[in-house]
Amino acid sequence: MAARGPERPFLFTLAGIGAESTAAHLGNNFTTYLVGGLMDRYGFSPFAMGAWSMAETLSYAAAMFLIAPRARQLDARLLAVAASVLVVLAQGGSALTDSYALLFAGRIGTGLGFGILNSAVNLAAGRTSHPARWISLGIAFQTVLFAGIALGVPQLGAHYGAQGMFLGLAAISLALGLLALFLPGGADPAVAEIAAAPKQPIGKDGLRVLTAMALFAFGTLAIWPFIERTAHAIGVPATQFGQFQSMATLASALGNTVLAAITARLPRALPLALVLGACGATCALLTTVGTAPAFAAAFIGYYVTWFLTYPMLLGLAYDCDKSGRLAVMTTGTWLLAQSLGSVVAGAIAQQFGGYRPIGPLGALTCVLAIAVAWPLARRFDRERPNDGTRSAAAAH
């Protein structure tokens, strides 16, 4: 591989990747408040809101799959700026209507914007010496910001309804979009060499990574659009749920900071299996506990383990394909699986009159994800260089 240019200053890279990672995941983390607000305000059914959430995540995935084949030729900074404009317009426009059809169109717009933003983050991370480390640092950065946002968005909802939340999220996207200027500009330095090389299929290893991500995301994120409603069902108001989410994001920031510090020295298989199993267990508890303290504990555990599992699975993708194409496809697969999970969860909730069966479904799919990823992770552990650095880091 052609030599990379000099590393950008640490703070520039952290501000750019961290801010745009935050912006790219605003929908994933805070659409749940919009779901609850719109159900309260307009009486939309769980199935309708599951489909509404699915429109965002499907659009998110579509954007990432469209970008993946052209990833190394694209300018991460330009992508992030354009995507930020699209998200601001879609969120702001959604605040001005009570039409389900127009709100649905707004979700498509935000989904496309979030997908382009996440692609920009993956591209920027892939141009560093250790992509998985920077993904973890970006998540740590975003979760610190999310701690404050999780306190503010429910307060906006309590005082100004769904319209206030839409406008608040639009303003946050605008502010974060300005920090996209810290991302690296231009195409990847090795783009000419990569363009001349024959295209490689993702192969069996790539399919394992995609399947593991699909199982993980389908099960653990099926409940996510309705997570605030799940808390509401056991007497937890949205403002208190926001406090739980704030605590969870701070704990997740600590977890990902630790992961970023030690990830180059960790084996692949055992840590991945442990956090996947823990995520499944806490996901099951989310919909089966009946008190606020138990829900808070389960939610914090779920949040922390989810955000540890995600960069670990992306690390497998970078190990399989150093170009970053598989990493973008892996994130796109996550959104496709979440999209299906959202509509399935809405149908389950409507059919059974509650959300209780959805959490155990997540536990089952996490077990299946471990079974799929384990052979690949074990092989990477066996092939690990003797000096303790990951093969991906050495390649970069």
Side-chain angles (χ1 to χ4, degrees), residues 325-394:
R325 181 175 66 110
L326 181 60
V328 174
M329 293 176 68
T330 300
T331 306
T333 298
W334 149 38
L335 273 304
L336 282 175
Q338 181 180 352
S339 301
L340 180 58
S342 296
V343 76
V344 168
I348 290 173
Q350 194 154 321
Q351 179 68 30
F352 292 94
Y355 306 100
R356 191 176 183 88
I358 304 171
L361 174 65
L364 174 62
T365 60
C366 280
V367 171
L368 295 175
I370 293 170
V372 170
W374 181 265
L376 181 61
R378 287 288 296 145
R379 200 184 80 221
F380 282 136
D381 285 343
R382 290 193 298 270
E383 295 172 355
R384 188 173 179 169
N386 293 329
D387 64 2
T389 57
R390 290 182 188 266
S391 56

Side-chain angles (χ1 to χ4, degrees), residues 153-161 165 239:
V153 169
Q155 292 296 331
L156 286 174
H159 290 90
Y160 305 106
M165 291 189 285
T239 49

Side-chain angles (χ1 to χ4, degrees), residues 1 4 10 29 63 90 101 141 190 217 357 375:
M1 180 177 286
R4 292 178 180 272
F10 177 87
N29 283 270
F141 185 105

Side-chain angles (χ1 to χ4, degrees), residues 173-267:
S173 293
L174 177 61
L176 293 171
L178 296 175
L179 294 179
L181 298 176
F182 287 108
L183 291 175
D188 189 281
V191 68
E193 177 184 329
I194 293 165
K199 299 293 183 185
Q200 297 295 325
I202 62 171
K204 293 181 179 179
D205 289 349
L207 284 174
R208 277 193 176 273
V209 174
L210 296 178
T211 302
M213 178 61 85
L215 288 166
F216 165 63
F218 172 82
T220 60
L221 291 176
I223 190 58
W224 184 255
F226 305 101
I227 192 69
E228 184 272 333
R229 294 287 90 183
T230 303
H232 182 79
I234 60 171
V236 177
T239 49
Q240 187 178 13
F241 175 77
Q243 294 168 5
F244 294 163
Q245 187 173 6
S246 182
M247 291 187 289
T249 54
L250 288 174
S252 181
L254 177 61
N256 275 277
T257 300
V258 172
L259 179 63
I262 66 175
T263 187
R265 297 187 294 275
L266 284 178

